Amino acid sequence: MNVFIIGGTGLISSAIVDQLVDRDESVTVFTRGIHDTSLPTSVTHIRGDRHDTDALKTAVADTNPDVLIDMVCFSPETAQATVDAVASFVDQYVFYSTVDVYHRPPEHNPITENAARYPNISEYGRKKAAAEDVFMDASKQGLFETTVLRPWSTYGEGGNVLHTFGDDTYYLDRLRAGKPIIVHGDGTSLWGPCHRDDVARAFVNALGNETAFGEMYHVTSEEFITWNQYHCRVARAMDAPEPELVHIPTTVLRTVAPERTKMLRDHFQFSTTFDNSKARHDLDYEYTINFETGIARTIEWLDERDQIKNWNTEPFDDTLVEEWQAARNHMATDR
């Protein structure tokens, strides 16, 4: 199979490339070349900006791929420009979307692929949903076959580890040092990280799969854990002490640290689960790497590259813990 990938060097897309190469597929990657990822020697790398539609059209026309995988489309405008440029050269278009397309909080859990998408909780989710519509409309018009995949929280070698304040790696050093870890709310909302290799395999299995034409799929975790469990498992994975978890209401965190809590606002505060049964049936999707194993591999990857910051480079957490505990003590005394 001849596969053209817009992207190809990110967390998920680099795993897709590796798995395609392992299957002896012909792979062309179209990127701006701004990355640290070492591509396999058999992969053709065309440097270019996907927003330069003439360059993209030329690259796709020259490659004449069976399938195009789009990992870096983030708006309906970009989607439409890409359709106009490549439709006549592509048989199947596989679009990397996101579970952020759904309205939150959901009406029901687990969320299925036909759940309400609007209104979206974030601009990112709104634009991804609108881009999905563009590619699906192209499929209905007979321009090419469209397959949409919606991952959730994907992690793995080459990425960072999430926590209440985003993905800054000082969090991991705080765990190692036995420092208090701030957790939003009471820590019982659910989260489901999924390793990049499992997600990538679903993309690979969608290629040329006629059952997947015109369909949308969840490719997410099947290990739903609370945030309290999440922090404890990360600590165990790196042989850190059992963490001291300091619970602070989400509304308080959003008020005192709005810039640090954008991911909390858009993602972490909601308890959601996703139904993968459609992907299991059509794409042979499997959740094979449990979180503790996968996160240990991720942390090892970061350690080997000296990418974990020292906890004391970021004093914010300790300051907030002290102020929160003082406020609680003050309230208790007033009573």
Side-chain angles (χ1 to χ4, degrees), residues 173-181 240-244:
D173 198 51
R174 286 188 68 84
L175 284 171
R176 278 203 177 115
K179 302 291 290 181
I181 301 299
E242 185 79 9
E244 175 191 350

PDB file of all heavy atoms in Angstrom, residues 173-181 240-244:
ATOM      1  N   ASP A 173       9.428  14.917  38.990  1.00  0.00           N
ATOM      2  CA  ASP A 173      10.464  15.072  40.011  1.00  0.00           C
ATOM      3  C   ASP A 173       9.850  15.327  41.383  1.00  0.00           C
ATOM      4  O   ASP A 173      10.410  14.905  42.404  1.00  0.00           O
ATOM      5  CB  ASP A 173      11.422  16.203  39.626  1.00  0.00           C
ATOM      6  CG  ASP A 173      12.734  16.137  40.397  1.00  0.00           C
ATOM      7  OD1 ASP A 173      13.343  15.045  40.409  1.00  0.00           O
ATOM      8  OD2 ASP A 173      13.138  17.150  40.987  1.00  0.00           O
ATOM      9  N   ARG A 174       8.699  15.995  41.415  1.00  0.00           N
ATOM     10  CA  ARG A 174       7.997  16.174  42.691  1.00  0.00           C
ATOM     11  C   ARG A 174       7.599  14.807  43.268  1.00  0.00           C
ATOM     12  O   ARG A 174       7.725  14.579  44.469  1.00  0.00           O
ATOM     13  CB  ARG A 174       6.741  17.040  42.510  1.00  0.00           C
ATOM     14  CG  ARG A 174       7.014  18.514  42.295  1.00  0.00           C
ATOM     15  CD  ARG A 174       5.727  19.324  42.329  1.00  0.00           C
ATOM     16  NE  ARG A 174       5.143  19.344  43.665  1.00  0.00           N
ATOM     17  CZ  ARG A 174       5.494  20.195  44.630  1.00  0.00           C
ATOM     18  NH1 ARG A 174       6.430  21.100  44.417  1.00  0.00           N
ATOM     19  NH2 ARG A 174       4.904  20.149  45.810  1.00  0.00           N
ATOM     20  N   LEU A 175       7.125  13.926  42.415  1.00  0.00           N
ATOM     21  CA  LEU A 175       6.783  12.583  42.876  1.00  0.00           C
ATOM     22  C   LEU A 175       8.005  11.883  43.449  1.00  0.00           C
ATOM     23  O   LEU A 175       7.950  11.282  44.530  1.00  0.00           O
ATOM     24  CB  LEU A 175       6.194  11.764  41.732  1.00  0.00           C
ATOM     25  CG  LEU A 175       4.747  12.056  41.335  1.00  0.00           C
ATOM     26  CD1 LEU A 175       4.392  11.318  40.052  1.00  0.00           C
ATOM     27  CD2 LEU A 175       3.772  11.659  42.450  1.00  0.00           C
ATOM     28  N   ARG A 176       9.112  11.950  42.730  1.00  0.00           N
ATOM     29  CA  ARG A 176      10.341  11.291  43.184  1.00  0.00           C
ATOM     30  C   ARG A 176      10.817  11.849  44.523  1.00  0.00           C
ATOM     31  O   ARG A 176      11.322  11.102  45.366  1.00  0.00           O
ATOM     32  CB  ARG A 176      11.454  11.480  42.149  1.00  0.00           C
ATOM     33  CG  ARG A 176      11.396  10.502  40.998  1.00  0.00           C
ATOM     34  CD  ARG A 176      12.769  10.349  40.353  1.00  0.00           C
ATOM     35  NE  ARG A 176      12.696   9.352  39.295  1.00  0.00           N
ATOM     36  CZ  ARG A 176      12.882   9.621  38.018  1.00  0.00           C
ATOM     37  NH1 ARG A 176      13.163  10.832  37.621  1.00  0.00           N
ATOM     38  NH2 ARG A 176      12.795   8.652  37.118  1.00  0.00           N
ATOM     39  N   ALA A 177      10.638  13.137  44.698  1.00  0.00           N
ATOM     40  CA  ALA A 177      11.113  13.791  45.916  1.00  0.00           C
ATOM     41  C   ALA A 177      10.127  13.668  47.077  1.00  0.00           C
ATOM     42  O   ALA A 177      10.408  14.136  48.180  1.00  0.00           O
ATOM     43  CB  ALA A 177      11.393  15.266  45.626  1.00  0.00           C
ATOM     44  N   GLY A 178       8.972  13.049  46.820  1.00  0.00           N
ATOM     45  CA  GLY A 178       7.979  12.909  47.878  1.00  0.00           C
ATOM     46  C   GLY A 178       7.271  14.202  48.218  1.00  0.00           C
ATOM     47  O   GLY A 178       6.742  14.360  49.328  1.00  0.00           O
ATOM     48  N   LYS A 179       7.245  15.142  47.286  1.00  0.00           N
ATOM     49  CA  LYS A 179       6.590  16.431  47.510  1.00  0.00           C
ATOM     50  C   LYS A 179       5.076  16.291  47.317  1.00  0.00           C
ATOM     51  O   LYS A 179       4.612  15.423  46.562  1.00  0.00           O
ATOM     52  CB  LYS A 179       7.129  17.476  46.530  1.00  0.00           C
ATOM     53  CG  LYS A 179       8.639  17.692  46.620  1.00  0.00           C
ATOM     54  CD  LYS A 179       9.032  18.358  47.920  1.00  0.00           C
ATOM     55  CE  LYS A 179       8.572  19.799  47.975  1.00  0.00           C
ATOM     56  NZ  LYS A 179       8.979  20.465  49.234  1.00  0.00           N
ATOM     57  N   PRO A 180       4.275  17.138  47.967  1.00  0.00           N
ATOM     58  CA  PRO A 180       2.814  17.070  47.802  1.00  0.00           C
ATOM     59  C   PRO A 180       2.411  17.297  46.342  1.00  0.00           C
ATOM     60  O   PRO A 180       3.004  18.114  45.639  1.00  0.00           O
ATOM     61  CB  PRO A 180       2.305  18.206  48.694  1.00  0.00           C
ATOM     62  CG  PRO A 180       3.395  18.445  49.680  1.00  0.00           C
ATOM     63  CD  PRO A 180       4.679  18.159  48.952  1.00  0.00           C
ATOM     64  N   ILE A 181       1.402  16.555  45.921  1.00  0.00           N
ATOM     65  CA  ILE A 181       0.892  16.646  44.552  1.00  0.00           C
ATOM     66  C   ILE A 181      -0.518  17.229  44.598  1.00  0.00           C
ATOM     67  O   ILE A 181      -1.407  16.687  45.270  1.00  0.00           O
ATOM     68  CB  ILE A 181       0.863  15.262  43.880  1.00  0.00           C
ATOM     69  CG1 ILE A 181       2.263  14.654  43.838  1.00  0.00           C
ATOM     70  CG2 ILE A 181       0.254  15.359  42.486  1.00  0.00           C
ATOM     71  CD1 ILE A 181       3.283  15.445  43.049  1.00  0.00           C
ATOM     72  N   ALA A 240       8.681   5.782  43.085  1.00  0.00           N
ATOM     73  CA  ALA A 240       8.614   6.945  43.966  1.00  0.00           C
ATOM     74  C   ALA A 240       7.784   6.615  45.202  1.00  0.00           C
ATOM     75  O   ALA A 240       7.029   5.636  45.204  1.00  0.00           O
ATOM     76  CB  ALA A 240       8.007   8.130  43.218  1.00  0.00           C
ATOM     77  N   PRO A 241       7.891   7.416  46.260  1.00  0.00           N
ATOM     78  CA  PRO A 241       7.074   7.172  47.444  1.00  0.00           C
ATOM     79  C   PRO A 241       5.584   7.313  47.135  1.00  0.00           C
ATOM     80  O   PRO A 241       5.196   7.959  46.153  1.00  0.00           O
ATOM     81  CB  PRO A 241       7.535   8.269  48.419  1.00  0.00           C
ATOM     82  CG  PRO A 241       8.831   8.769  47.890  1.00  0.00           C
ATOM     83  CD  PRO A 241       8.789   8.573  46.412  1.00  0.00           C
ATOM     84  N   GLU A 242       4.754   6.705  47.973  1.00  0.00           N
ATOM     85  CA  GLU A 242       3.308   6.908  47.856  1.00  0.00           C
ATOM     86  C   GLU A 242       3.031   8.406  47.965  1.00  0.00           C
ATOM     87  O   GLU A 242       3.430   9.056  48.928  1.00  0.00           O
ATOM     88  CB  GLU A 242       2.579   6.168  48.969  1.00  0.00           C
ATOM     89  CG  GLU A 242       1.073   6.218  48.885  1.00  0.00           C
ATOM     90  CD  GLU A 242       0.492   5.234  47.879  1.00  0.00           C
ATOM     91  OE1 GLU A 242       1.260   4.392  47.357  1.00  0.00           O
ATOM     92  OE2 GLU A 242      -0.723   5.307  47.622  1.00  0.00           O
ATOM     93  N   PRO A 243       2.375   9.004  46.972  1.00  0.00           N
ATOM     94  CA  PRO A 243       2.268  10.462  46.966  1.00  0.00           C
ATOM     95  C   PRO A 243       1.290  11.005  48.005  1.00  0.00           C
ATOM     96  O   PRO A 243       0.270  10.381  48.313  1.00  0.00           O
ATOM     97  CB  PRO A 243       1.773  10.781  45.550  1.00  0.00           C
ATOM     98  CG  PRO A 243       1.082   9.539  45.104  1.00  0.00           C
ATOM     99  CD  PRO A 243       1.810   8.394  45.758  1.00  0.00           C
ATOM    100  N   GLU A 244       1.637  12.165  48.538  1.00  0.00           N
ATOM    101  CA  GLU A 244       0.711  12.922  49.384  1.00  0.00           C
ATOM    102  C   GLU A 244      -0.141  13.783  48.452  1.00  0.00           C
ATOM    103  O   GLU A 244       0.364  14.695  47.806  1.00  0.00           O
ATOM    104  CB  GLU A 244       1.480  13.813  50.360  1.00  0.00           C
ATOM    105  CG  GLU A 244       0.588  14.718  51.190  1.00  0.00           C
ATOM    106  CD  GLU A 244       1.344  15.795  51.957  1.00  0.00           C
ATOM    107  OE1 GLU A 244       2.588  15.723  51.995  1.00  0.00           O
ATOM    108  OE2 GLU A 244       0.679  16.709  52.501  1.00  0.00           O
TER     109      GLU A 244
END
